[in-house]
Amino acid sequence: MGNTGHGETFLFWIGSIISVAGALGLIFSKKIVHAALCLCTVMLCLAFFYMAQGAVFLGVVQIVVYTGAVMMLFLFVLMLIGIESQDSLVETIRGQRWLAVPFVLAFGAVLIGVYAHANLPEFIGTNAANAKGGGNVQSLALLLFSRYFWAFEVSSAVLITSATGAMVLTHRERTVPRKSQRELSIERFERWGKGEKIALTGLPNPGVYAQHNAVDTPALLPDGTPSEVSVNATLRGRGTVRGFRPLPLPGARRNGTAVVPRDDTSNEEVSK
């Protein structure tokens, strides 16, 4: 049994603090995106621990598969569907957090008891184990498909069952038939006829008919006035929408003046 180096000890304590902080952030984060980022931090620290112990293959797999593929895909999906903070706080099963506390304590007590009474063999080190099996990948494959074959298969079955159950629980049946494009158009015209301020056609994208194509530049209507609804509501709420300054434009006149928007906040009109 060899002694632990100073660099490995330093990495262990720093990584342990970051891992515990990430785990606590995962539990107490109010936003689901922040919780996903905390989980990514824990997985990266776990990969560093694997590499420090000589299991380079496991560390690379931890980063590429779990952190790089699974968690990033999960995070990108959350960013695309736009989960709100109030949605993250909604619990479908009331009281599940308080109910989980005694189960966590009982599970921790069982783990401590098993570890205290376990008869562990002498630690031979990762290098010796890899040399005995012909390499890190070969040793890992030998353990997974020989000694721990059934445990590996049961874990796979549990993960597949969990994924299937999650899809079944989150699936929503459609209670009404989907409206066709014709029905949506008729409904839009009926709402417009009742006096609602809605657009009969598709709204223009930011920057249309303007001198800038940025997302904070409102599109221009045919009469030269900016369309506020073409800019994201978040930018309008922050007050970061670009202003305009009319400039002369051949063929576009209004009361003897030419009006063309610009991306600054001046409101001067230049006579032509």
Side-chain angles (χ1 to χ4, degrees):
M1 183 174 181
N3 296 326
T4 303
H6 296 288
E8 185 177 350
T9 304
F10 176 78
L11 176 63
F12 171 76
W13 284 108
I14 297 299
S16 300
I17 296 174
I18 298 176
S19 299
V20 173
L24 294 177
L26 171 63
I27 297 174
F28 296 105
S29 294
K30 295 183 178 181
K31 293 185 178 181
I32 191 170
V33 176
H34 295 170
L37 291 176
C38 291
L39 184 56
C40 290
T41 303
V42 176
M43 288 186 175
L44 287 175
C45 292
L46 185 60
F48 293 150
F49 291 155
Y50 286 151
M51 294 181 181
Q53 295 295 324
V56 181
F57 177 75
L58 281 179
V60 173
V61 169
Q62 180 73 24
I63 295 177
V64 174
V65 177
Y66 289 97
T67 308
V70 178
M71 285 307 306
M72 289 299 103
L73 177 62
F74 180 63
L75 184 59
F76 289 156
V77 169
L78 293 178
M79 296 172 65
L80 287 175
I81 63 179
I83 296 295
E84 300 291 341
S85 59
Q86 57 268 22
D87 297 335
S88 303
L89 299 178
V90 176
E91 295 184 2
T92 56
I93 303 178
R94 296 187 178 278
Q96 57 180 341
R97 295 190 179 185
W98 296 107
L99 185 62
V101 172
F103 284 97
V104 171
L105 295 177
F107 183 72
V110 171
L111 287 181
I112 294 175
V114 171
Y115 180 77
H117 295 83
N119 186 12
L120 300 177
E122 183 180 357
F123 180 71
I124 61 176
T126 310
N127 294 330
N130 292 337
K132 182 178 180 181
N136 181 247
V137 180
Q138 293 81 352
S139 301
L140 181 62
L142 183 63
L143 291 175
L144 287 179
F145 296 104
S146 61
R147 181 182 301 179
Y148 301 106
F149 174 76
W150 287 110
F152 184 71
E153 293 299 327
V154 171
S155 301
S156 303
V158 170
L159 292 176
I160 294 175
T161 305
S162 302
T164 305
M167 290 189 293
V168 171
L169 292 176
T170 55
H171 178 70
R172 295 181 180 179
E173 295 289 344
R174 181 177 294 275
T175 57
V176 294
R178 183 188 298 272
K179 295 182 180 180
S180 63
Q181 188 68 27
R182 178 182 177 86
E183 292 174 344
L184 292 175
S185 299
I186 294 175
E187 181 181 352
R188 187 181 297 112
F189 274 92
E190 290 178 350
R191 292 174 56 190
W192 178 76
K194 295 179 181 179
E196 297 186 27
K197 295 182 179 180
I198 60 174
L200 296 179
T201 59
L203 297 177
N205 294 325
V208 177
Y209 301 119
Q211 291 185 339
H212 204 287
N213 59 353
V215 295
D216 58 348
T217 304
L220 296 183
L221 300 177
D223 60 351
T225 58
S227 175
E228 295 183 358
V229 294
S230 63
V231 181
N232 188 276
T234 303
L235 298 179
R236 297 201 306 268
R238 293 176 179 175
T240 57
V241 181
R242 289 174 179 260
F244 295 88
R245 185 180 67 184
L247 287 179
L249 177 67
R253 297 177 179 274
R254 187 176 63 188
N255 297 329
T257 59
V259 180
V260 179
R262 284 187 67 176
D263 47 334
D264 55 297
T265 58
S266 177
N267 290 321
E268 301 173 359
E269 287 192 356
V270 181
S271 299
K272 180 174 181 180

